[in-house]
């Protein structure tokens, strides 16, 4: 019988390791030709609340909690998805700049994978950093029930930390009995999205991890919730932002009330307190009540490390946009008339509330709308994005990375990203080199917005 304690240990193994560089996890071993590993989607009971198991959660792999997939930059990776669910699914590798055929978007890049069927994914991750994986079919239901895991792409030349802890931050829509309730309310989908009722880190409420006193810990944070935007801060220790959305930041800076939205990642260098037993905490300060997401307890004698001693992370091989020869493309977010879309295999929510350039996405249909833009491979484009809606939207582009510039609302640091959190009334420019051919989805990562129209795609030929 699994006790809460052994499960907690399992979560720790999936979520953290201490130092060292040969880290191929249970599913992360690079395979060359045929997929040597499988990733099974299945139903599971989850120990999220103290009300006993939550029934009919969904997970990847054999453990309760989806595994951290470890890959290496430039090394081929292969994995066979086995769908053990009674509904179709796919896997999208959020932030990885890979072959379009491996991108996991039903109809656009691959057929959906029926229950009992499988699909072979194989690609070579070009960039090191923190990424994540999740379905792109019936996404609100499947992600809401658990299908979201973190990807770590390692670079052997990266700075070695005293410990590394992977943090999958997400909420669950559970009733007082610890069982799932309706995933969304239509009136909330038309606003900020429907919030979860139970907040977790690696599927546990405020877990605690041990880390060496006075040591430097790499925290790899992924915001995988379907709705919630966070304002992150660390209490009881110093923390530097070293990477965001998979890419090293140009400069490191002290973490100070940083906002991240669904789909975004943040890598922090945390300097643990010196005295044994001292606690540092990762907090969400958005909203009225501060929430403690996870705590870290200092163990052993202080290693007396210094944040300033950390070498820089190596940059990823990204193309710098050529602003002198850029073509501008407008993208205007809007609410849309409330008309019912036709039901889709991948689960329509039954409403259109949102649109990009006035077109609501024809949800998961075999006959999607035309691409909103066609781009020529190798050329620079600037997406002029405007958000006249009263909501914040984490906009995610598949397969390519952009540099946000010239916001009328935020001071931006030069940085490559795949997900931009656009504020109400914000206008921003996302500059990119169209260096990966294919049809790439561009959508809001508040999944209710994505599924009720705020989705489109661009084509690179
Ligand atoms: Cu995180 Cu369309 O994806
Ligand atoms: Cu949105």
């Amino acid at each position: 019988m699994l006790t809460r304690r052994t499960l907690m240990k399992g979560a720790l193994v999936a979520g953290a390791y201490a130092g060292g560089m040969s880290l191929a996890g249970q599913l992360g071993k690079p395979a060359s030709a045929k997929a040597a590993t499988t990733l099974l989607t299945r139903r599971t009971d989850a120990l999220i609340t103290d009300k006993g198991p939550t029934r009919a959660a969904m997970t990847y792999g054999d453990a309760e909690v989806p595994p951290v997939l470890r890959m290496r930059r430039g090394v081929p990776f292969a994995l066979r998805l086995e769908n053990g669910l009674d509904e179709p699914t796919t896997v999208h590798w959020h932030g990885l700049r890979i072959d379009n055929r491996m991108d996991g978007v039903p109809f656009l890049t691959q057929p959906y994978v029926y229950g009992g069927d499988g699909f072979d994914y194989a690609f070579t991750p070009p960039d090191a950093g923190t990424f994540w994986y999740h379905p792109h079919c019936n996404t609100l239901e499947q992600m809401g029930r658990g299908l979201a895991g973190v990807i770590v792409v390692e670079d052997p030349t990266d700075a070695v930390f005293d410990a590394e802890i992977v943090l999958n931050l997400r909420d669950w829509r559970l009733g007082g009995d610890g069982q799932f309730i309706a995933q969304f309310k239509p009136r909330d989908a038309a606003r900020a999205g429907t919030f979860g009722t139970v907040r977790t880190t690696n599927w546990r409420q405020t877990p605690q991890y041990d880390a060496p006193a006075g040591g430097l810990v790499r925290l790899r944070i992924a915001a995988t919730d379907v709705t919630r935007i966070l304002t992150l801060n660390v209490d009881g220790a110093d923390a530097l932002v070293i990477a965001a959305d998979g890419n090293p930041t140009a400069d490191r800076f002290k973490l100070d009330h940083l906002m991240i939205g669904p789909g975004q990642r943040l890598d922090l260098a945390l300097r643990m307190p010196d005295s044994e037993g001292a606690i540092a905490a990762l907090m969400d300060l958005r909203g009225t009540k501060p929430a403690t997401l996870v705590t870290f307890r200092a163990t052993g004698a202080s290693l007396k490390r210094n944040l300033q001693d950390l070498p820089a992370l190596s940059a990823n091989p990204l193309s710098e946009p050529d602003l002198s020869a850029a073509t501008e493309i407008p993208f205007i977010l809007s609410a849309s008339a409330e008309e019912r879309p036709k039901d889709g295999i991948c689960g329509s929510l039954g409403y259109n509330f949102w649109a990009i350039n006035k077109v609501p996405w024809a949800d998961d249909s075999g006959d999607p709308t035309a691409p909103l833009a066609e781009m020529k491979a190798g050329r620079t484009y600037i997406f002029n994005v405007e958000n006249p809606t009263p909501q914040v939207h984490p906009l995610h582009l598949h397969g390519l990375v952009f540099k946000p510039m010239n916001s009328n609302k935020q001071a931006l640091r030069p940085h490559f990203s795949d997900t931009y959190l656009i504020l109400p009334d914000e206008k921003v420019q996302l500059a990119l080199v169209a260096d990966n051919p294919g049809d790439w989805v561009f959508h809001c990562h508040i999944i209710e917005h994505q599924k009720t129209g705020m989705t489109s795609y661009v084509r690179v030929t």
Side-chain angles (χ1 to χ4, degrees):
M1 264 256 290
L2 286 177
T3 62
R4 190 158 178 95
R5 199 183 158 81
T6 57
L7 280 164
M8 194 65 206
K9 236 171 90 204
L12 274 165
V13 170
Y17 77 94
M21 285 315 301
S22 56
L23 310 164
Q26 55 173 129
L27 288 153
K29 289 209 178 65
S32 41
K34 264 266 165 268
T37 54
T38 60
L39 186 66
L40 175 71
T41 53
R42 62 185 183 90
R43 298 265 178 181
T44 188
D45 287 350
L47 291 187
I48 297 166
T49 73
D50 53 15
K51 302 278 153 45
T54 298
R55 311 274 175 214
M58 292 179 180
T59 194
Y60 290 109
D62 304 324
E64 182 197 2
V65 179
V68 174
L69 297 183
R70 290 191 177 267
M71 308 174 187
R72 290 207 169 189
R73 163 152 80 190
V75 176
F77 177 84
L79 166 156
R80 180 168 177 80
L81 167 70
E82 296 281 1
N83 186 5
L85 302 173
D86 47 11
E87 58 177 271
T89 193
T90 60
V91 182
H92 169 58
W93 315 90
H94 183 124
L96 297 190
R97 299 182 301 128
I98 54 179
D99 190 310
N100 195 235
R101 291 168 303 172
M102 297 291 125
D103 196 47
V105 180
F107 295 111
L108 212 53
T109 74
Q110 69 161 91
Y112 40 71
V113 182
Y114 282 106
D117 274 358
F119 188 87
D120 289 303
Y121 290 99
F123 49 80
T124 301
D127 305 316
T130 304
F131 303 92
W132 64 298
Y133 62 102
H134 62 77
H136 229 281
C137 180
N138 202 10
T139 315
L140 183 65
E141 180 76 10
Q142 294 185 9
M143 278 179 54
R145 286 183 181 261
L147 291 185
V150 182
I151 296 170
V152 172
V153 183
E154 292 157 4
D155 182 328
T157 68
D158 265 353
V160 177
F161 286 75
D162 300 310
E164 175 176 291
I165 304 176
V166 177
L167 304 170
N168 178 352
L169 307 182
R170 59 161 299 151
D171 301 359
W172 305 79
R173 293 231 352 119
L174 305 179
D177 59 356
Q179 301 307 315
F180 283 101
I181 55 176
Q183 286 294 354
F184 79 105
K185 298 180 194 151
R187 57 168 278 134
D188 289 347
R191 294 178 174 80
T194 311
F195 287 89
T197 58
V198 175
R199 309 185 60 166
T200 60
T201 298
N202 296 337
W203 291 34
R204 296 291 178 265
Q205 297 182 58
T206 323
Q208 183 167 89
Y209 295 98
D210 286 350
L216 296 180
V217 182
R218 182 170 187 165
L219 300 181
R220 294 180 181 266
I221 300 169
T224 72
D225 188 51
V226 295
T227 307
R228 188 180 296 278
I229 290 157
L230 307 153
T231 300
L232 296 178
N233 229 41
V234 165
D235 269 5
D238 285 330
L240 292 182
V241 175
I242 55 172
D245 301 333
N247 289 299
T249 48
D251 296 303
R252 301 169 177 172
F253 54 97
K254 193 176 168 334
L255 176 72
D256 180 18
H257 294 72
L258 195 82
M259 208 163 109
I260 67 169
Q264 297 194 290
R265 290 87 64 211
L266 202 61
D267 285 44
L268 300 179
L270 175 74
R271 204 290 190 174
M272 287 296 291
D274 288 300
S275 37
E276 165 126 52
I279 304 278
L282 180 68
M283 312 285 297
D284 172 25
L285 301 182
R286 196 172 162 86
T288 43
K289 265 199 283 164
T292 304
L293 304 174
V294 49
T295 58
F296 310 96
R297 189 179 60 131
T299 58
S302 176
L303 299 179
K304 299 220 159 59
R305 299 257 277 165
N306 191 329
L307 275 172
Q308 306 328 314
D309 297 341
L310 261 187
L313 299 177
S314 30
N316 286 320
L318 306 174
S319 325
E320 200 54 53
D322 175 7
L323 298 178
S324 66
T327 306
E328 304 195 13
I329 307 171
F331 289 92
I332 302 180
L333 312 179
S334 67
S336 111
E338 199 168 330
E339 84 202 36
R340 294 198 164 240
K342 56 178 187 271
D343 208 10
I345 290 270
C346 282
S348 166
L349 300 191
Y351 300 88
N352 280 331
F353 293 128
W354 303 96
I356 303 180
N357 291 358
K358 299 213 169 90
V359 184
W361 179 246
D363 192 54
D364 299 324
S365 84
D367 179 26
T369 51
L372 275 197
E374 306 213 20
M375 304 190 283
K376 286 272 160 280
R379 295 201 44 194
T380 293
Y381 293 85
I382 296 175
F383 290 9
N384 287 323
V385 190
E386 289 184 39
N387 176 22
T389 80
Q391 264 74 42
V392 181
H393 301 284
L395 291 176
H396 171 47
L397 177 62
H398 289 206
L400 302 163
V401 292
F402 49 73
K403 260 191 171 168
M405 320 181 300
N406 301 327
S407 164
N408 65 340
K409 287 268 169 187
Q410 315 188 42
L412 302 175
R413 298 168 190 270
H415 182 248
F416 284 104
S417 166
D418 53 65
T419 308
Y420 183 76
L421 198 57
I422 191 167
L423 302 175
D425 298 319
E426 182 171 355
K427 292 183 190 181
V428 71
Q429 297 193 304
L430 308 179
L432 61 91
V433 179
D435 56 3
N436 196 3
D439 286 343
W440 301 112
V441 185
F442 184 50
H443 66 82
C444 179
H445 225 292
I446 291 175
I447 307 297
E448 287 156 77
H449 294 179
Q450 173 192 352
K451 295 287 289 181
T452 60
M454 198 175 280
T455 298
S456 190
Y457 72 103
V458 294
R459 176 167 291 162
V460 179
T461 53

